[in-house]
Amino acid sequence: MGRLFGTDGVRGLANAELTAEFAVQVAQAAAATLARPAAEKPTAVVGRDPRASGEMLEAAVVAGLASAGVDVLRVGVLPTPAVAYLTGALDACLGVMISASHNPMPDNGIKIFAAGGRKLGDDAEDRIEAAVGATGARPTGASIGRIRTVDDAAERYLAHVASAQVHPLTGLKVVVDCANGAASDVAPRAYAAAGAEVLAIHADPDGLNINDDCGSTHLESLRKAVVDNDADLGLAHDGDADRCLAIDAGGSVVDGDAIMSVLAIAMAESGELVDRTLVATVMSNLGLHLAMRDAGITVRTTAVGDRYVLEGLAEGGFSLGGEQSGHIVLPGFATTGDGILTGLRLMGRVAETGTPLAELASAMTTLPQILVNVRVTDKAAVAAAPAVLDAVRAVEDELGDSGRVLLRPSGTEQLVRVMVEASDVAEARRLADELAEVVAAV
């Protein structure tokens, strides 16, 4: 059996791989691992996105927690960052978000937060995995967990993100694509409360339409809506709203790297950017590195995955980090990526400067980036093979300062990922294909 936890919780096809019975066991294991000793019963916050299987899995998770002696605070359909925030704000021992993020509707997942709303490290995940299915005495009588609903959960989260807004959005018109997901209610409310004129699309979840040709992985309808409605910009969230991508007034995509460049420059000017340092993954475009160098900002790189961005931020006490995919983390306000918070800060910069998003994003020029996945039998051995390393060095010498090579084993499959950036897309393609041929031949 492979490791239970992936890069962001436990995921699988709902009611096939991720069953109600298994969800009960995961919840019980999380309670046994994370519930801190206390005179009173420990508590857990549980939320979900609106996909249909979430109703079943929420019931299972709540039952598992209560059966382990944990009082459960149900917060309903809310974004992942809201559940993380409320875990801390309500002084819970742990939080559980039932969501498969940007995955299609048939999938679902269980994300677990430790006290304070913080993501779990490998050690905590391993301890939970080891406890799954464990048998033993269960509490009885008054020691069984109780379950109640937090009626003002959305309002608590909205007040929290409003506190991070630095400039009113009066005069801005924004189209927000809610992916028929967890942001469908709170995202339009947050942006309107900050002063923006809001047009919400894909904000009518029915349990089946989450991420269906909409949201941050399907930007076509948002691009059209921004142009057709003469909006200043558009924002796209994924199913659990921990991501945010943007569209400028002309319909061009502003990805996570470009959003980070805008926010980093703004925070450097205001003195918020600790040590003038941005934390990004190795997959961020070289154009981001060049733009930050020109702005006098250091980029510190991490492995791929927002958990590694969070680790990098914590290690240095830094104040901004993220991924190209739109996971942006502002540790002063959130313990995880928060798409709504990102949208507020990005629009705040547009409103504060009176500068269109396209012009702000132009501080970064995105270099063509070609990624080739090569299937192999032993990814670690192939990636470290002398012939492969020699080929990488040769390409790096050819590119010089005008490009970049990244070759790494996949974290989940027997693949070696070959990524080449260059000033010209044809050159990037040629070099990536040449490297891929060497990898395949080893």
Side-chain angles (χ1 to χ4, degrees), residues 19-184:
T19 63
E21 295 87 344
F22 185 60
V24 169
Q25 293 181 340
V26 171
Q28 290 170 336
T33 304
L34 299 174
R36 57 180 179 253
E40 298 180 359
K41 279 190 294 188
T43 58
V45 170
V46 177
R48 64 180 179 90
D49 73 24
R51 67 188 77 211
S53 62
E55 299 164 2
M56 169 190 72
L57 292 172
E58 179 191 45
V61 165
V62 168
L65 291 168
S67 74
V70 176
D71 285 344
V72 179
L73 306 175
R74 295 174 63 252
V75 299
V77 174
L78 280 178
T80 288
V83 173
Y85 165 70
L86 290 166
T87 299
L90 297 172
D91 195 29
C93 295
L94 69 152
V96 180
M97 176 66 182
I98 300 161
S99 174
S101 188
H102 60 283
N103 283 26
M105 181 275 297
D107 290 345
N108 216 322
I110 301 173
K111 301 182 182 184
I112 301 172
F113 295 98
R118 304 199 175 276
K119 289 204 170 186
L120 304 181
D122 289 341
D123 179 64
E125 290 182 346
D126 290 343
R127 286 186 284 119
I128 292 172
E129 181 168 352
V132 170
T135 58
R138 299 288 181 200
T140 58
S143 296
I144 294 173
R146 303 296 297 273
I147 302 161
R148 68 180 178 87
T149 298
V150 182
D151 294 324
D152 64 344
E155 282 65 32
R156 285 173 178 258
Y157 171 66
L158 287 168
H160 166 66
V161 293
S163 71
Q165 177 60 31
V166 296
H167 197 280
L169 307 183
T170 307
L172 284 186
K173 183 177 183 180
V174 60
V175 182
V176 54
D177 183 342
C178 300
N180 291 314
S184 296

Side-chain angles (χ1 to χ4, degrees), residues 378-389 407 409:
D378 187 338
K379 58 189 178 183
V382 170
V388 172
L389 298 178
L407 187 144

Side-chain angles (χ1 to χ4, degrees), residues 351-366:
E352 178 186 19
T353 61
T355 304
L357 178 58
E359 186 175 338
L360 292 173
S362 69
M364 172 188 159
T365 300
T366 301

Side-chain angles (χ1 to χ4, degrees), residues 81 84-85 117-118 160 310 313 328-338 341:
Y85 165 70
R118 304 199 175 276
H160 166 66
L310 286 162
L313 289 164
I328 312 296
V329 185
L330 290 150
F333 301 98
T335 57
T336 186
D338 189 327
L341 176 58

